[in-house]
Amino acid sequence: MSQDSSLDALRAALEVTPNNVPLRLHLADTLLNRGLTEDAEQLLKEGLKRAAGDSEDELELKFALVRCYRQLGKWSTAHVILDDLIQSDRSTARALVERARTQLREGQVEDAVTSYRRAIHEDPDVRDPELSETLGVGKTPLKQDPIDGLDDEEAEDPEVFDGRLRAQNDASSGPSLTPIKTDLNFESVGGMEDVKKDIRRKVVLPMKHPELVKEFGKKVGGGILLYGPPGCGKTHLARATAGEIDATFLEVGIHDVLDMWIGQSERNLHSIFETARANQPCVLFFDEADALGAARSDIRGAGRQQINQFLAELDGVSGQNDGVLVLGATNAPWQMDSAFRRPGRFDRVIFVPPPDQKARETILRILLTDKPQRDLDLAQIAKKCDGFSGADLKAVVDEAIEAVLDDALETGNVRPLVTKDLLKARKNRRPTTGEWFRTVKNHVLYANEDGLFDDVKPYLKL
């Protein structure tokens, strides 16, 4: 039988039994071996739709898709699928081996070694002799991860270890952060009507009427994770939320938490939460929350303890969180440990999209307040800025102002901004949100079993 005939026979058999996953995998494997990669991709994606609810079939189809995407050179898509498998604890060791192979193909040798070592540390049976030789990973069993900041020899030396503990105890007891009162509220936020409505229903009203909430045995406060493209106003929205409920606002950056000394990051987190608890009602805002709540499957050594401490503080294990609203902002929610989205933690996840046209008009109006201007057609400018974030719009306004200033310096004549100035500045800019949407598209397609990214779908036109 010719190669074409055998493929036709396999396709015909699959049409009769489309839910036969082993047959679908065999056909996809045959297509991949013959270089028909795009056909294999389509076949496997169709299989994933049919396999919904069958974890074993879905698992094998996803591993086949990883191989397919490696052949197509779609590295980021392959990584998305593997990261999803690793974070969801489904065949973690096997997924780590495949990630090592993918990283090796990309030339990321050190990362590949790390992934492979973790894989065989979790399950020695996944060891691959050829990959071991290529990466230079020995055959001796791996030791437990050394303590962060110490190599193996130092970690086993009692004097060095005790010295580190003494130095750690001399470190600062926690960051000096002071809650503030903000003069912002939802009227200060351009557009985002759906987002503000969601926050008002889930946060503002319960905080304003705590007696009703407590009557039903619920706590006032909780956690909300804001996610979306960078520059779309997540921090501004968090400040406005604090003003809307007349609460103090405590903003925390990763530099306020992370510390080089063992255990100090955990103490910093506890200190921050204690400050918020002492200033109720309080909006406790963590910027770049993914850096503080990364998936524990990607963390080694003492770093896991900091994440566990964060989870414990969110649960209120170390103190009462009644009256503390914890807001987190991230551009990469897929990098966060899934445990952060369990009830009582960041159990409310809200997508903060790029501003719509009406919102862009409002943002432009705010940015151009008190600037010399004449007959600006904000509606026309906003229409031309589809997909622009608030930060992108500010860049357009700044560039237009700089061009007018340059003219004034050369001619000595000051003229106001006109519509043409802003449209010209817009031509020199592209929306920075595009890269984010290209990245999140992979997660929507291949890692959205829990519906986390459903709100993004309309923006991807899927």
Side-chain angles (χ1 to χ4, degrees), residues 3 46 69 71 95 188 190 403 418 458:
Q3 289 189 351
E46 182 185 339
Y69 286 132
Q71 288 190 208
S188 311
V418 295

Side-chain angles (χ1 to χ4, degrees), residues 192 228-235 237 352-355 387-391 433:
M192 296 193 199
C232 288
K234 293 184 285 294
T235 301
L237 186 60
V352 181
F388 278 49
S389 67
T433 59

Side-chain angles (χ1 to χ4, degrees), residues 168-289:
Q168 169 186 302
N169 291 330
D170 291 337
S172 63
S173 59
S176 299
L177 295 175
T178 304
I180 62 170
K181 280 284 189 176
T182 174
D183 55 359
L184 299 177
N185 55 34
F186 282 172
E187 291 183 3
S188 311
V189 180
M192 296 193 199
E193 296 306 323
D194 289 341
V195 177
K196 289 187 288 188
K197 182 179 179 180
D198 204 8
I199 293 178
R200 186 175 284 111
R201 185 179 71 253
K202 295 178 179 178
V203 176
V204 176
L205 293 177
M207 293 286 273
K208 285 185 174 180
H209 303 283
E211 67 285 351
L212 294 177
V213 177
K214 289 179 179 178
E215 191 168 331
F216 284 90
K218 302 284 287 184
K219 291 183 178 181
V220 178
I224 291 179
L225 183 66
L226 304 174
Y227 80 95
C232 288
K234 293 184 285 294
T235 301
H236 188 67
L237 186 60
R239 288 177 175 271
T241 300
E244 193 74 11
I245 58 179
D246 194 28
T248 58
F249 182 73
L250 185 60
E251 183 173 357
V252 181
I254 58 175
H255 61 280
D256 296 314
V257 176
L258 300 183
D259 195 284
M260 65 182 291
W261 303 116
I262 299 169
Q264 188 59 41
S265 296
E266 293 90 307
R267 283 194 285 274
N268 289 343
L269 272 170
H270 181 64
S271 173
I272 289 166
F273 271 87
E274 285 295 285
T275 300
R277 291 165 186 143
N279 290 273
Q280 300 173 12
C282 180
V283 172
L284 177 56
F285 176 63
F286 288 92
D287 199 8
E288 298 181 90

Side-chain angles (χ1 to χ4, degrees), residues 14-299:
L14 190 61
E15 285 183 10
V16 176
T17 56
N19 293 326
N20 187 332
V21 173
L23 178 59
R24 186 178 293 273
L25 289 169
H26 177 61
L27 176 54
D29 191 55
T30 303
L31 291 169
L32 288 172
N33 289 335
R34 296 184 186 179
L36 301 173
T37 318
E38 293 181 355
D39 290 349
E41 177 189 9
Q42 190 61 38
L43 190 75
L44 292 168
K45 287 165 69 174
E46 182 185 339
L48 273 177
K49 292 179 182 178
R50 291 179 173 275
D54 191 325
S55 59
E56 285 303 317
D57 287 347
E58 181 189 29
L59 196 66
E60 294 306 320
L61 287 163
K62 285 193 171 185
F63 277 118
L65 259 178
V66 167
R67 181 188 169 195
C68 179
Y69 286 132
R70 277 207 297 260
Q71 288 190 208
L72 285 169
K74 296 182 178 180
W75 308 113
S76 62
T77 310
H79 280 302
V80 165
I81 296 173
L82 291 170
D83 288 346
D84 176 54
L85 292 172
I86 292 167
Q87 291 186 31
S88 60
D89 293 327
R90 291 187 293 172
S91 195
T92 301
R94 182 181 170 191
L96 283 166
V97 171
E98 292 303 321
R99 185 165 75 176
R101 289 196 176 99
T102 304
Q103 290 166 331
L104 184 61
R105 287 279 296 274
E106 290 182 277
Q108 301 171 4
V109 180
E110 291 186 4
D111 291 338
V113 170
T114 299
S115 295
Y116 185 59
R117 283 184 177 276
R118 282 186 51 208
I120 58 179
H121 181 63
E122 292 193 17
D123 183 2
D125 291 337
V126 300
R127 187 187 301 274
D128 182 291
E130 184 178 346
L131 192 57
S132 295
E133 185 176 352
T134 302
L135 296 176
V137 176
K139 296 182 179 180
T140 56
L142 293 174
K143 299 168 63 175
Q144 291 291 332
D145 294 334
I147 297 171
D148 285 2
L150 300 178
D151 59 30
D152 291 345
E153 185 176 343
E154 289 174 326
E156 293 172 359
D157 186 330
E159 292 186 10
V160 174
F161 187 77
D162 290 344
R164 171 61 62 86
L165 287 178
R166 285 195 298 272
Q168 169 186 302
N169 291 330
D170 291 337
S172 63
S173 59
S176 299
L177 295 175
T178 304
I180 62 170
K181 280 284 189 176
T182 174
D183 55 359
L184 299 177
N185 55 34
F186 282 172
E187 291 183 3
S188 311
V189 180
M192 296 193 199
E193 296 306 323
D194 289 341
V195 177
K196 289 187 288 188
K197 182 179 179 180
D198 204 8
I199 293 178
R200 186 175 284 111
R201 185 179 71 253
K202 295 178 179 178
V203 176
V204 176
L205 293 177
M207 293 286 273
K208 285 185 174 180
H209 303 283
E211 67 285 351
L212 294 177
V213 177
K214 289 179 179 178
E215 191 168 331
F216 284 90
K218 302 284 287 184
K219 291 183 178 181
V220 178
I224 291 179
L225 183 66
L226 304 174
Y227 80 95
C232 288
K234 293 184 285 294
T235 301
H236 188 67
L237 186 60
R239 288 177 175 271
T241 300
E244 193 74 11
I245 58 179
D246 194 28
T248 58
F249 182 73
L250 185 60
E251 183 173 357
V252 181
I254 58 175
H255 61 280
D256 296 314
V257 176
L258 300 183
D259 195 284
M260 65 182 291
W261 303 116
I262 299 169
Q264 188 59 41
S265 296
E266 293 90 307
R267 283 194 285 274
N268 289 343
L269 272 170
H270 181 64
S271 173
I272 289 166
F273 271 87
E274 285 295 285
T275 300
R277 291 165 186 143
N279 290 273
Q280 300 173 12
C282 180
V283 172
L284 177 56
F285 176 63
F286 288 92
D287 199 8
E288 298 181 90
D290 52 292
L292 299 174
R296 283 169 290 183
S297 59
D298 291 333
I299 301 295

Side-chain angles (χ1 to χ4, degrees), residues 201-455:
R201 185 179 71 253
K202 295 178 179 178
V203 176
V204 176
L205 293 177
M207 293 286 273
K208 285 185 174 180
H209 303 283
E211 67 285 351
L212 294 177
V213 177
K214 289 179 179 178
E215 191 168 331
F216 284 90
K218 302 284 287 184
K219 291 183 178 181
V220 178
I224 291 179
L225 183 66
L226 304 174
Y227 80 95
C232 288
K234 293 184 285 294
T235 301
H236 188 67
L237 186 60
R239 288 177 175 271
T241 300
E244 193 74 11
I245 58 179
D246 194 28
T248 58
F249 182 73
L250 185 60
E251 183 173 357
V252 181
I254 58 175
H255 61 280
D256 296 314
V257 176
L258 300 183
D259 195 284
M260 65 182 291
W261 303 116
I262 299 169
Q264 188 59 41
S265 296
E266 293 90 307
R267 283 194 285 274
N268 289 343
L269 272 170
H270 181 64
S271 173
I272 289 166
F273 271 87
E274 285 295 285
T275 300
R277 291 165 186 143
N279 290 273
Q280 300 173 12
C282 180
V283 172
L284 177 56
F285 176 63
F286 288 92
D287 199 8
E288 298 181 90
D290 52 292
L292 299 174
R296 283 169 290 183
S297 59
D298 291 333
I299 301 295
R300 301 174 63 188
R304 290 183 176 225
Q305 297 307 315
Q306 171 246 307
I307 296 172
N308 291 336
Q309 181 72 30
F310 198 177
L311 293 170
E313 297 294 344
L314 287 170
D315 290 338
V317 172
S318 303
Q320 292 299 318
N321 288 340
D322 224 12
V324 176
L325 172 64
V326 186
L327 284 178
T330 176
N331 301 328
W334 50 84
Q335 292 181 356
M336 293 191 69
D337 196 296
S338 58
F340 280 94
R341 297 199 302 275
R342 290 176 188 165
R345 297 168 182 172
F346 291 121
D347 50 357
R348 288 163 285 185
V349 182
I350 297 176
F351 173 52
V352 181
D356 57 21
Q357 181 169 341
K358 183 179 178 182
R360 294 195 295 272
E361 286 185 47
T362 303
I363 293 169
L364 286 167
R365 187 174 293 109
I366 293 170
L367 292 172
L368 291 162
T369 300
D370 299 329
K371 306 292 191 301
Q373 55 187 274
R374 185 180 68 240
D375 301 328
L376 286 178
D377 188 348
L378 295 183
Q380 181 187 1
I381 299 166
K383 186 175 181 180
K384 294 287 187 180
C385 293
D386 186 31
F388 278 49
S389 67
D392 293 333
L393 293 172
K394 185 177 186 304
V396 169
V397 171
D398 288 345
E399 185 170 330
I401 290 173
E402 288 175 7
V404 172
L405 281 175
D406 287 343
D407 289 345
L409 291 172
E410 288 184 9
T411 64
N413 298 320
V414 178
R415 66 173 180 83
L417 284 163
V418 295
T419 301
K420 184 172 67 175
D421 296 317
L422 288 155
L423 291 177
K424 183 178 179 181
R426 184 263 172 265
K427 287 183 179 178
N428 298 328
R429 295 277 172 181
R430 290 185 178 181
T432 58
T433 59
E435 180 60 32
W436 187 87
F437 278 110
R438 283 190 290 274
T439 299
V440 79
K441 183 177 181 180
N442 292 326
H443 294 275
V444 172
L445 291 173
Y446 305 111
N448 193 37
E449 290 87 352
D450 58 358
L452 174 62
F453 302 109
D454 285 352
D455 290 340

